[in-house]
Amino acid sequence: MKSPLPVRDGVNATRLRLPHDGPWETALEYMLHRWGHIDPQGILDRFDAGEIVGETGAPLDRTTPLRDHVFIWYYRTLPPEERLPVELSILHQDGDLLVVDKPHFLPTTPGGTYIQESALVRLRKLLDIPDLIPMHRLDRMTAGVLLFSTNPETRGKYQVLFEKRKVQKEYECVSAVVPEDGFADPEFPALVRNRMTKSRDYLLAQVVDGEPNTETRIERVELIEQPHRTAAHDDAGHPRGRALYRLEPHTGKTHQLRVHMASLGLGILNDPFYPVLLDQAPDDYERPLQLLARGIRFVDPLSGKPVEYRSELTLSEARRD
């Protein structure tokens, strides 16, 4: 459903679904019920200023009946954000697509405490393209190639490619050479298939019994540092020996690559989630997750020609000492 309010300062207006019934006579009463404990005067001021609108864009007032609207839109009051010390770089731009190298630590889209500090909002403001929309997503901690649609008229043709899995993605990661204790040495290339679930209420994706819904091909590309002892990690938890791996996901579940590497006893370096969830800590910009979206390729639905976009970034742990 298209918002009747335009993008403002790079951010979409917020949509709220009103309940069909309840003890509230007006939309104002319902909003005060939901958020009155936070800023009741601010809610009243927004209604008085006509800043809360219905499906047609017409402003609501304090007396608008609850049942007059199913959805309403408004602009959130955004808290100040400190700029993250990372930068985007543009790999390709035309009238239909924008391709960028997203850095580690920058989320793809607004969420949680990151609104202005997201790739989408930064790019909308930088390029003055309010209709910019991501074609897919990368985790905040993952860097690499990220595609955006710049043209609403051709957007659907690209979305179909992702929906029908006609886009091939290639990732790289750095992990240990020797698996964790209790894991057998895998043979490469390896094909990891399992069933994963992830709920909004739990940080981690979980592997469960059932028909597989994820699949990743994993190949060891290069030995970066030879293991110098039989154990996988030293007493400080650092891996003995590092290798560069190529990951080709055939499905796109959240945290899929991180879970699949951990399932081999080869958790990706600097991963705070897998195989062990670490205590929450401030971002350490010197130790990014060693996972990079290296490339993406597909047949362009407009030209009919194969295209490929490659990241120009390098994983810090992939460099030889």
Side-chain angles (χ1 to χ4, degrees):
M1 182 180 295
K2 185 174 176 60
S3 171
L5 293 175
V7 171
R8 186 170 76 178
D9 200 22
V11 182
N12 294 88
T14 296
R15 185 181 73 176
L16 174 66
R17 186 185 185 99
L18 299 178
H20 294 298
D21 51 34
W24 314 282
E25 292 295 328
T26 66
L28 169 62
E29 289 178 8
Y30 177 69
M31 291 195 74
L32 288 172
H33 166 76
R34 288 283 300 270
W35 295 291
H37 62 289
I38 299 175
D39 183 19
Q41 188 58 50
I43 294 173
L44 292 168
D45 291 344
R46 288 187 185 196
F47 273 93
D48 292 342
E51 295 181 352
I52 299 176
V53 306
E55 291 89 340
T56 65
L60 283 62
D61 60 34
R62 295 192 185 198
T63 65
T64 301
L66 178 73
R67 296 164 185 80
D68 279 7
H69 296 276
V70 177
F71 293 101
I72 59 175
W73 282 262
Y74 61 95
Y75 295 111
R76 287 179 289 174
T77 300
L78 302 178
E81 292 179 59
E82 183 176 346
R83 186 174 176 86
L84 298 176
V86 294
E87 299 299 331
L88 287 151
S89 61
I90 295 175
L91 301 173
H92 169 84
Q93 184 178 0
D94 60 34
D96 301 290
L97 282 182
L98 172 69
V99 186
V100 303
D101 249 343
K102 186 189 82 66
H104 297 285
F105 303 105
L106 187 71
T108 298
T109 55
T113 59
Y114 303 97
I115 307 297
Q116 299 288 338
E117 283 305 284
S118 62
L120 176 60
V121 175
R122 275 197 189 184
L123 290 166
R124 280 177 172 176
K125 295 167 67 176
L126 174 67
L127 302 175
D128 192 23
I129 306 177
D131 281 328
L132 196 69
I133 293 293
M135 291 289 88
H136 61 115
R137 284 170 172 76
L138 295 177
D139 288 346
R140 186 173 80 88
M141 305 307 290
T142 303
V145 177
L146 183 61
L147 268 66
F148 293 82
S149 163
T150 60
N151 185 353
E153 294 183 3
T154 60
R155 182 167 299 154
K157 295 182 183 296
Y158 291 99
Q159 288 174 328
V160 167
L161 294 180
F162 287 90
E163 292 169 1
K164 294 188 174 182
R165 297 182 183 174
K166 293 185 176 182
V167 176
Q168 288 75 52
K169 300 176 184 177
E170 176 189 337
Y171 289 74
E172 290 177 356
C173 75
V174 177
S175 184
V177 176
V178 182
E180 295 279 353
D181 293 342
F183 289 85
D185 288 334
E187 293 185 6
F188 294 104
L191 190 66
V192 179
R193 302 175 72 242
N194 53 34
R195 184 166 192 84
M196 286 174 47
T197 63
K198 188 177 186 305
S199 73
R200 293 178 179 271
D201 302 324
Y202 190 56
L203 283 174
L204 302 182
Q206 296 177 293
V207 176
V208 298
D209 294 334
E211 183 71 20
N213 61 356
T214 63
E215 181 176 291
T216 305
R217 184 183 185 273
I218 302 173
E219 180 180 357
R220 183 178 288 167
V221 177
E222 180 183 6
L223 200 62
I224 301 168
E225 178 187 48
Q226 289 278 359
H228 53 86
R229 282 173 56 183
T230 56
H233 292 76
D234 62 21
D235 293 338
H238 301 126
R240 291 196 173 93
R242 292 168 293 152
L244 181 68
Y245 296 84
R246 179 183 296 118
L247 313 175
E248 297 176 349
H250 301 154
T251 52
K253 294 291 185 181
T254 301
H255 292 181
Q256 174 179 320
L257 301 180
R258 297 160 72 174
V259 171
H260 282 183
M261 286 300 293
S263 73
L264 298 177
L266 298 169
I268 298 173
L269 264 62
N270 302 337
D271 191 340
F273 283 14
Y274 308 98
V276 177
L277 178 63
L278 304 181
D279 292 337
Q280 187 173 3
D283 290 336
D284 184 347
Y285 297 102
E286 298 299 317
R287 301 184 73 248
L289 175 71
Q290 295 298 288
L291 179 61
L292 173 69
R294 171 58 69 192
I296 191 167
R297 62 186 184 276
F298 53 89
V299 175
D300 190 281
L302 302 183
S303 69
K305 298 178 180 179
V307 295
E308 182 173 11
Y309 302 104
R310 305 285 292 178
S311 173
E312 297 176 352
L313 300 174
T314 301
L315 292 169
S316 57
E317 292 290 341
R319 303 167 189 149
R320 294 182 180 275
D321 297 333

